Amino acid sequence: MRPIGIIHSCYREKFGIPRQPGLVKSARGEVELLPPCNREEMFKGLETFSHIWLQFLFHEAVGDGWRPTVRPPWLGGKERVGLFATRTPHRPNFLGLSVVRYLGMRKEKGKLFLDISELDLLHGTPIVDIKPYVPYSDRVEEAANGFVRFAESEISVRFSPEADAACRQYEKECGRDLKTLIHEVLKQDPRPASQRKQQREYGMLLWEMNVRWLSDDTGFTVLSVDERDKKMP
Ligand code: SAH
């Protein structure tokens, strides 16, 4: 297989990426189509669909290998289940599958892009196939969520005045609503299950910004939002 495209994403590192697509509505990205798949005619008609399936390579998991069983965060990070009962990136062929919102095709500087949102993919992810999502057969009303217990997060997310100002400045400069993105990402609680009870500081990259936040009993506080190069040691 050869990649047909490559993802440009707001997620610049693995930490912070939601566990599935559709959870962070303001996540934005694009598929840069690569030759020989950068021809408009290959996507004619795709604009009639609102969502698409992306099949991709978990390229940053390949080096770590895989194990037959894993500890999914839904089970408190303690209980093990079979890898094929999960959506873990660490699988024998490292293939991922995500349904994302399709916003349309764009041409820029001789390159062809598909704009997407609500993704859960890392920047640089190689895409191996694209298909329309068709609810008439893909949506399964009576499907069970298994051991995945998804509940709206109760975590409160606050911003320090400095972080708030930095988000507003960023939005002024490049038109991206970084504050909403940070808010939605933190609401998903990206902390590993084993660290849920500790007070701790975390850092994550969104676009080219380094976001520092503190977790304690009262919730999460975004401390600062700085350009990546200014990252503290
Ligand atoms: N919806 C996909 C992905 C689920 S796993 C599927 O079901 O196949 C989601 C996690 O994959 C994210 O939390 C992120 O940390 C990780 N991830 C996303 N892109 C990746 C990549 N290119 N390499 C390794 N891990 C990646």
Side-chain angles (χ1 to χ4, degrees):
M1 273 190 292
R2 272 191 293 150
I4 63 161
I6 192 117
I7 287 281
H8 300 200
S9 164
C10 56
Y11 300 119
R12 301 300 167 101
E13 64 178 13
K14 281 185 279 183
F15 182 61
I17 305 181
R19 296 187 171 91
Q20 287 303 333
L23 303 175
V24 171
K25 302 290 177 201
S26 59
R28 290 292 295 263
E30 58 198 13
V31 185
E32 177 188 338
L33 296 159
L34 301 174
C37 298
N38 54 346
R39 294 166 58 155
E40 275 180 78
E41 61 179 347
M42 298 174 97
F43 301 89
K44 187 166 179 285
L46 195 62
E47 71 284 355
T48 65
F49 298 93
S50 60
H51 291 76
I52 53 179
W53 287 109
L54 298 178
Q55 282 181 277
F56 59 93
L57 182 72
F58 285 113
H59 72 305
E60 286 236 344
V62 174
D64 303 335
W66 57 274
R67 287 161 194 258
T69 60
V70 295
R71 288 188 286 231
W74 316 107
L75 298 172
K78 293 203 178 90
E79 221 176 301
R80 286 192 169 274
V81 296
L83 88 92
F84 291 119
T86 77
R87 312 274 294 244
T88 176
H90 300 98
R91 11 194 3 107
N93 288 316
F94 302 96
L95 284 180
L97 185 63
S98 291
V99 60
V100 299
R101 186 175 284 275
Y102 177 48
L103 303 172
M105 178 182 278
R106 186 165 42 84
K107 269 199 282 190
E108 207 177 292
K109 293 182 191 144
K111 288 184 173 177
L112 201 57
F113 298 94
L114 305 181
D115 286 321
I116 56 173
S117 66
E118 304 185 28
L119 65 162
D120 60 345
L121 306 182
L122 183 65
H123 190 66
T125 298
I127 300 295
V128 292
D129 205 358
I130 296 171
K131 302 176 186 191
Y133 171 86
V134 282
Y136 93 89
S137 75
D138 290 351
R139 184 175 56 208
V140 185
E141 300 291 357
E142 70 277 19
N145 272 306
F147 55 76
V148 177
R149 290 193 224 309
F150 180 73
E152 273 300 312
S153 149
E154 299 288 306
I155 294 169
S156 86
V157 179
R158 295 173 300 264
F159 286 72
S160 72
E162 295 77 23
D164 187 72
C167 288
R168 256 182 287 155
Q169 181 61 26
Y170 183 79
E171 185 165 4
K172 229 195 294 176
E173 281 166 17
C174 61
R176 293 180 184 138
D177 184 356
L178 184 60
K179 190 172 177 184
T180 302
L181 179 62
I182 296 172
H183 193 270
E184 289 184 351
V185 164
L186 293 187
K187 273 277 181 190
Q188 295 299 317
D189 195 354
R191 296 172 301 171
S194 59
Q195 293 174 5
R196 298 259 160 104
K197 291 203 175 69
Q198 299 164 17
Q199 170 165 334
R200 248 193 83 152
E201 228 180 273
Y202 295 89
M204 64 182 178
L205 273 179
L206 291 175
W207 296 114
E208 51 293 293
M209 304 302 275
N210 185 38
V211 181
R212 279 196 318 120
W213 50 282
L214 179 75
S215 105
D216 62 24
D217 308 338
T218 64
F220 297 160
T221 309
V222 182
L223 303 171
S224 65
V225 177
D226 294 301
E227 251 179 79
R228 182 183 193 166
D229 297 341
K230 292 184 202 149
K231 195 168 168 178
M232 303 293 273

